[in-house]
């Protein structure tokens, strides 16, 4: 199993450009999440999904969009890049917390985005 | 308002000694707590967890203690090894919301000196 795979690993954007961060998981997890981590800070939840076709905002959703057309894929879209979106982005998946599951998150390796 | 706080940004210990990492939370609805370990240029990986119905959980060299009345948990690593040098994140969630959304602290960088 590859687990959670994110692409690209690094990207430099100019202000106003758009891009999509790709995330795919092969563990058949229903729950998927996008977090961002700024230097010296913890992970902030951007968007999450509890299953295909269902998405919802997290703590810091402004400037981002997501879709979940399949169980495996959860892409994150930045529409008009701003310097404040310079960060490391982590995609994660889990089995959730129902049925005795612990909500343990499985993370990708991260995508480092710089907006200049 | 930060709901999960790790007040020590860094901790340095000697190899073989105990490392104690602390975490405080404010949301009384949190009922499950997890610790993650993160190496540079990698994603966080799950280390150990504890349910609010317990006050201790042990896994090898790692033990997590939960004090619900104080809204405080700690991770003990005994004995510490140089390979334990990493950033440790405390996370908390409300299992009743059933969405598995975790709230993270800012992390503590542990350095274990040989």
């Amino acid at each position: 199993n590859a687990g959670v795979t994110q692409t690209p690993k690094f990207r430099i954007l100019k202000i106003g450009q758009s891009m999509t961060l790709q995330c795919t998981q092969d563990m058949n997890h229903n729950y998927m999440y996008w977090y961002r981590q700024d230097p010296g800070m913890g992970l902030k939840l951007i968007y999450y999904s509890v299953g295909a076709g269902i998405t919802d905002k997290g703590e810091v959703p402004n400037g981002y969009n997501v879709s979940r057309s399949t169980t495996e894929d959860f892409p994150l879209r930045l529409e008009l890049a701003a310097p404040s979106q310079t960060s490391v982005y982590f995609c994660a998946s889990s089995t959730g917390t129902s049925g005795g599951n612990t909500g343990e998150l499985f993370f990708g390796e991260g995508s480092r985005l710089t907006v200049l | 308002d930060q709901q999960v706080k790790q007040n020590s940004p860094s901790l340095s210990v000697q190899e073989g000694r105990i490392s104690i990492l602390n975490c405080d939370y404010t949301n009384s609805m949190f009922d499950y707590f997890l610790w993650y370990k993160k190496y540079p240029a990698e994603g966080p990986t799950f280390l150990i967890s504890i349910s609010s119905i317990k006050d201790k959980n042990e896994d090898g060299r790692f033990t997590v203690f939960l004090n619900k009345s104080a809204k405080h948990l700690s991770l003990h690593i005994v004995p510490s090894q140089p390979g334990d040098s990493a950033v440790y994140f405390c996370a908390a969630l409300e299992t009743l919301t059933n969405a598995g959304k975790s709230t993270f602290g800012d992390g503590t960088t542990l350095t274990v000196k040989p």
Side-chain angles (χ1 to χ4, degrees):
Chain A
N1 283 354
V4 178
T5 303
Q6 290 182 234
T7 57
K9 286 188 168 45
F10 303 94
R11 182 75 187 267
I12 298 175
L13 281 181
K14 294 182 179 179
I15 294 172
Q17 285 186 321
S18 300
M19 75 159 298
T20 299
L21 299 176
Q22 302 291 344
C23 176
T24 187
Q25 52 96 4
D26 62 0
M27 296 173 283
N28 202 33
H29 287 167
N30 282 327
Y31 297 83
M32 294 189 74
Y33 312 85
W34 275 105
Y35 285 89
R36 60 176 285 174
Q37 185 192 11
D38 299 329
M41 306 290 285
L43 289 85
K44 305 290 186 190
L45 182 64
I46 305 171
Y47 269 94
Y48 68 99
S49 168
V50 300
I54 307 170
T55 62
D56 207 346
K57 296 178 181 179
E59 186 182 355
V60 290
N62 291 343
Y64 307 94
N65 271 304
V66 293
S67 60
R68 184 94 183 272
S69 57
T70 67
T71 299
E72 295 78 20
D73 300 308
F74 190 42
L76 177 71
R77 177 86 177 159
L78 286 72
E79 288 295 348
L80 291 170
S84 61
Q85 292 178 304
T86 294
S87 190
V88 181
Y89 293 83
F90 291 100
C91 179
S93 70
S94 85
T95 55
T97 54
S98 62
N101 291 316
T102 62
E104 170 193 344
L105 294 172
F106 293 81
F107 284 90
E109 292 187 342
S111 298
R112 183 176 294 274
L113 176 67
T114 302
V115 182
L116 301 174
Chain B
D1 185 29
Q2 201 166 8
Q3 299 185 68
V4 178
K5 293 183 181 179
Q6 295 176 254
N7 290 320
S8 297
S10 62
L11 174 68
S12 181
V13 300
Q14 207 66 35
E15 181 178 6
R17 305 296 292 268
I18 184 171
S19 295
I20 299 177
L21 294 90
N22 294 302
C23 178
D24 297 294
Y25 63 96
T26 58
N27 186 345
S28 57
M29 298 300 292
F30 288 145
D31 59 353
Y32 206 84
F33 305 89
L34 307 96
W35 285 92
Y36 291 86
K37 179 178 178 179
K38 184 184 180 305
Y39 292 118
E42 294 184 9
T45 55
F46 170 74
L47 188 59
I48 192 169
S49 62
I50 188 167
S51 165
S52 61
I53 63 173
K54 296 185 177 181
D55 55 17
K56 176 182 175 181
N57 188 28
E58 197 170 351
D59 183 1
R61 296 187 296 114
F62 302 92
T63 303
V64 57
F65 296 92
L66 175 62
N67 183 334
K68 280 184 62 179
S69 61
K71 293 190 176 68
H72 177 83
L73 61 154
S74 61
L75 173 68
H76 293 211
I77 306 173
V78 184
S80 301
Q81 299 173 354
D84 296 330
S85 297
V87 179
Y88 289 79
F89 290 101
C90 170
L93 52 83
E94 303 173 43
T95 57
L96 287 180
T97 65
N98 208 28
K101 294 180 292 179
S102 292
T103 300
F104 284 82
D106 287 343
T108 296
T109 300
L110 173 65
T111 303
V112 180
K113 298 179 179 178

